[in-house]
Amino acid sequence: MYGNPLNAYQKTAKNTMSGRELEAHALTSAAMRLKEFQTKWDPATESGYSELACAIQQNQKLWSIFQAELSTDDHPLPARLREQLLSVSLFVDKQSFDVLAHPSPEKIKSLVDINLAIAAGLRGAPAMAA
């Protein structure tokens, strides 16, 4: 009747989060999904690679949203910070394509580290070790 209580809690939490909290949550969720592939490395199987590709694509979609948002003229962040974040997003794109072409746990780690560092900055907290 009530479904999964965790899903209900997460849905409620998302509805009450600020924009920054929601962005931090999305980055952390994507990082944790990628970290799972990093720690349980097995891209040799077709399903393993397919699931890794889905996780990479999910992370890329998230960063594409950030790119679009950061590119608007009326974005409230200072121009220099927006430029730096856009540079990071370009690295994420490049690294994502590289992971898909030549998978390795080290390449995934860099994506995890970036997501967690940006999420920590959004929360105003020190970055978690990946």
Side-chain angles (χ1 to χ4, degrees):
M1 178 173 167
Y2 292 107
N4 183 336
L6 179 59
N7 289 342
Y9 171 78
Q10 288 176 335
K11 184 177 180 180
T12 301
K14 286 179 187 176
N15 290 336
T16 60
M17 289 183 190
S18 71
R20 289 173 67 104
E21 291 169 331
L22 189 58
E23 290 169 346
H25 175 76
L27 283 164
T28 302
S29 294
M32 293 298 98
R33 187 169 179 207
L34 289 169
K35 186 169 180 62
E36 184 178 328
F37 288 100
Q38 178 196 355
T39 57
K40 298 176 183 175
W41 187 249
D42 187 17
T45 65
E46 187 174 324
S47 65
Y49 181 82
S50 177
E51 290 174 19
L52 171 62
C54 285
I56 294 290
Q57 289 169 346
Q58 175 195 13
N59 194 56
Q60 277 188 294
K61 286 179 186 176
L62 180 60
W63 278 94
S64 292
I65 292 167
F66 292 151
Q67 288 170 350
E69 207 38 52
L70 290 165
S71 298
T72 62
D73 291 334
D74 61 344
H75 196 280
L77 287 178
R80 180 74 181 130
L81 181 55
R82 284 193 336 228
E83 291 169 7
Q84 291 169 338
L85 287 169
L86 284 168
S87 291
V88 170
S89 73
L90 293 175
F91 175 81
V92 168
D93 284 345
K94 182 179 181 233
Q95 190 72 352
S96 297
F97 290 123
D98 195 26
V99 168
L100 293 174
H102 310 285
S104 82
E106 297 79 23
K107 292 174 186 172
I108 293 174
K109 183 180 183 325
S110 66
L111 294 172
V112 170
D113 290 347
I114 288 168
N115 279 20
L116 293 178
I118 300 296
L122 287 165
R123 288 185 182 104
M128 299 180 334

